[in-house]
Amino acid sequence: MKYLPIFLDLTVAPCLVVGGGTVAARKVAQLRKANAQITVIAPKLCQELSALVDKKSIDYVAGHFSKTNLKNKMLVIAATDDAAVNQQVSELAKERNLPVNVVDNPVLCSFIMPSIVDRDPVQIAISTGGSSPVLARLLRARLETLIPSSYGKLAELMAKFRHKVKTKYPEMQRRRRYWESILQSPIAEMIYAGQGRSALDALEKTLIAEDDDIPQTGEVYLVGAGPGDPDLLTFRALRLMQQAEVVLYDRLVPPAIVDLTRKDAERIYVGKKRDQHALPQMEISQLLVNLAKQGKRVLRLKGGDPFIFGRGGEEIELLSAENIPFQVVPGITAAAGCACYAGIPLTHRDYAHTCVFITGHLKDGSMDLNWDTLIQPRQTIAVYMGIVGLEVLCQELIARGMSASMPAALIQQGTTQKQKVYIGDLASLPDIPKQHDIQPPTIIIIGEVVKLHENLSWFEPQSND
Ligand code: SAH
């Protein structure tokens, strides 16, 4: 190992940065995060550094570097665009055994700056020994997606309880077991999901409990899987998918997404086709409760967003009544995803200032919609579940005053490799399913914005090759 990774306390430590450009400013920003006391030396400063000098956040010596600038310094960074100056800073610092970093020049450095995943107070520093900053950056990007952004809050909570836990479990082995079980319990997930208060209460309870075994309660994640393209999952969705031991999914979630769940997870299909529910809603909710009560981490994976025509609210009512910890992860809803992949902006300054999401469900052959609000100018309508009632919908809209030539699009299996976009208008839309073999799911977009598809279409699914 050429470089020893260490974490240096630089609080109010005098540090010197040679150079006044944007590269120097980046280094200054890093040092400021560590609360260092910074002096910058340079003949002139970029705007960003000047602003810091004005605010008295850093000291500034106008002029060229000389060895007297090194006096009483604890650390030095050379960030000028003059190779000779950088070399001189490096040599003089090394003579004094001062740690020195020269930007983008590992040979002149006695220390190098890592790529950092910052979850303060948790810090992950990545180094490739100066061989490939790009590799370090890629690695960092991977870690950023894996480690919840509120990981630091978890560390803070643990620090807060450290003393209490030590008092309850003086023996180190036992204490370690305690923390391990907490970190794998719903308490950690509560922190990541922004339920800090609940996490605190739950942690308190584990310490008051007489019994020193922490009950392993299960939990439920209600996760939106987006419209179909696996790349549209959120970081949190993916993390929870890889954590859950049981997965309940339905027909809207494509196999490519189900495949991203944990390999050893039990997968339960609770499929839903129109008019043909594999499991009635109540049974799904009850199943979620039962599994969580067995101590399992249960993932309920839903197409699009769980709270948009997804009955997500109904599924978690029972969980709430039974006091099962749960969280809800939003997903990209079909209207947003499909419109985007079809090159149809749902709003546009020239064409649409509002956008409404409706369902085109038929009840006894008619549609129970607030028609007046739908016949508004400069509005886009996204119709979910609209294929069966398409004819009725178009007739009603025209009968109530919308132009028969209002542009409309039918998007089949949006965002997937099987996406197909059919363009027409209100008059011709009902014929599209008669003339083509349309595969579900489909969404309908009605409004002037549909005209933009012709120029803005960008996605090229393989099925069109
Ligand atoms: N919660 C989901 C919607 C569930 S209702 C969401 O937020 O997207 C199911 C309807 O969503 C389907 O009938 C269809 O109209 C629409 N839908 C979902 N995924 C779709 C896709 N990939 N392409 C087109 N329509 C889709």
Side-chain angles (χ1 to χ4, degrees):
M1 179 161 64
K2 181 161 178 207
Y3 298 96
L4 176 73
I6 57 169
F7 289 87
L8 202 58
D9 182 359
L10 284 183
T11 317
V12 300
C15 298
L16 181 72
V17 176
V18 185
T22 50
V23 179
R26 233 169 36 226
K27 297 293 165 190
V28 166
Q30 276 177 299
L31 289 176
R32 287 190 71 220
K33 274 195 182 167
N35 300 311
Q37 189 192 318
I38 306 158
T39 304
V40 171
I41 173 146
K44 56 181 197 295
L45 294 182
C46 66
Q47 229 174 16
E48 200 179 331
L49 288 174
S50 293
L52 290 176
V53 174
D54 292 346
K55 283 194 289 180
K56 301 208 178 344
S57 301
I58 58 173
D59 294 326
Y60 174 46
V61 180
H64 292 280
F65 168 78
S66 76
K67 67 178 169 192
T68 52
N69 300 125
L70 294 174
K71 205 165 161 219
N72 296 328
K73 295 291 184 283
M74 227 183 106
L75 182 134
V76 185
I77 296 178
T80 77
D81 51 11
D82 184 329
V85 174
N86 287 346
Q87 168 109 24
Q88 190 197 11
V89 175
S90 166
E91 279 167 11
L92 290 170
K94 282 180 180 170
E95 253 172 40
R96 287 164 178 71
N97 289 328
L98 262 178
V100 60
N101 176 274
V102 179
V103 177
D104 282 340
N105 196 336
V107 182
L108 295 182
C109 292
S110 67
F111 75 92
I112 53 178
M113 307 271 279
S115 260
I116 297 170
V117 179
D118 182 2
R119 299 286 186 272
D120 194 42
V122 177
Q123 304 286 347
I124 303 172
I126 305 157
S127 155
T128 55
S131 56
S132 170
V134 179
L135 192 64
R137 259 206 311 278
L138 286 180
L139 204 54
R140 185 189 134 202
R142 281 196 164 190
L143 291 172
E144 293 279 10
T145 64
L146 287 178
I147 302 165
S149 59
S150 33
Y151 210 73
K153 294 219 175 75
L154 182 66
E156 279 166 13
L157 185 73
M158 290 175 75
K160 212 183 268 172
F161 278 78
R162 211 159 114 177
H163 196 68
K164 279 190 191 169
V165 174
K166 204 166 176 178
T167 314
K168 180 156 183 186
Y169 303 115
E171 198 227 328
M172 220 236 301
Q173 282 284 351
R174 183 66 198 88
R175 200 159 63 237
R176 188 177 296 163
R177 267 213 323 275
Y178 169 83
W179 280 124
E180 274 170 9
S181 60
I182 291 294
L183 288 175
Q184 287 166 55
S185 78
I187 293 177
E189 253 339 300
M190 283 174 193
I191 295 275
Y192 308 148
Q195 301 166 314
R197 188 69 251 164
S198 305
L200 199 79
D201 291 347
L203 202 55
E204 290 276 10
K205 272 197 199 124
T206 65
L207 286 174
I208 304 166
E210 285 295 317
D211 171 1
D212 42 54
D213 275 327
I214 296 131
Q216 283 300 333
T217 42
E219 57 188 323
V220 175
Y221 317 132
L222 177 62
V223 173
D229 182 347
D231 256 15
L232 296 179
L233 286 167
T234 60
F235 293 155
R236 189 178 291 172
L238 188 62
R239 188 170 54 74
L240 296 176
M241 285 164 74
Q242 298 190 342
Q243 186 162 297
E245 291 130 2
V246 189
V247 181
L248 276 71
Y249 66 100
D250 52 48
R251 203 180 51 107
L252 265 188
V253 184
I257 290 185
V258 179
D259 279 350
L260 294 174
T261 57
R262 235 168 82 170
K263 292 284 167 270
D264 59 342
E266 183 187 351
R267 294 172 185 178
I268 305 175
Y269 178 71
V270 292
K272 270 183 184 176
K273 257 191 189 154
R274 214 176 44 78
D275 302 333
Q276 182 199 328
H277 293 187
L279 272 187
Q281 199 60 56
M282 199 52 208
E283 275 180 43
I284 298 179
S285 307
Q286 193 59 54
L287 188 57
L288 292 174
V289 169
N290 294 349
L291 288 164
K293 281 191 173 164
Q294 290 165 22
K296 302 227 165 90
R297 285 182 281 201
V298 190
L299 175 80
R300 173 67 175 111
L301 201 52
K302 298 190 77 89
D305 180 274
F307 280 1
I308 296 182
F309 305 129
R311 302 196 186 192
E314 295 164 50
E315 288 189 14
I316 56 179
E317 267 167 28
L318 196 61
L319 297 172
S320 167
E322 298 267 355
N323 276 326
I324 308 253
F326 68 88
Q327 60 172 297
V328 187
V329 182
I332 292 182
T333 192
C338 300
C340 178
Y341 275 51
I344 302 173
L346 288 176
T347 67
H348 188 284
R349 281 198 295 171
D350 298 336
Y351 303 108
H353 294 176
T354 15
C355 174
V356 286
F357 295 176
I358 62 170
T359 89
H361 243 347
L362 281 179
K363 223 183 193 171
D364 309 323
S366 70
M367 244 170 235
D368 184 19
L369 290 169
N370 188 347
W371 296 102
D372 287 343
T373 59
L374 297 184
I375 319 286
Q376 296 294 329
R378 295 183 166 221
Q379 176 166 274
T380 307
I381 309 175
V383 192
Y384 289 72
M385 298 172 273
I387 201 91
V388 174
L390 191 56
E391 199 141 10
V392 178
L393 178 79
C394 295
Q395 278 166 5
E396 290 281 352
L397 288 174
I398 295 170
R400 287 160 202 266
M402 195 179 272
S403 161
S405 61
M406 177 63 84
L410 187 153
I411 306 166
Q412 158 192 311
Q413 299 178 321
T415 79
T416 73
Q417 289 304 330
K418 293 183 186 153
Q419 171 174 304
K420 283 212 167 90
V421 182
Y422 300 92
I423 302 287
D425 56 23
L426 268 194
S428 66
L429 199 61
D431 293 333
I432 293 175
K434 292 175 194 156
Q435 292 159 356
H436 303 270
D437 175 27
I438 301 289
Q439 296 296 316
T442 54
I443 194 157
I444 292 142
I445 314 275
I446 301 168
E448 302 281 351
V449 287
V450 170
K451 288 193 280 201
L452 296 162
H453 162 82
E454 199 181 340
N455 287 330
L456 301 186
S457 174
W458 58 271
F459 178 55
E460 298 166 2
Q462 278 161 7
S463 61
N464 285 358
D465 284 353

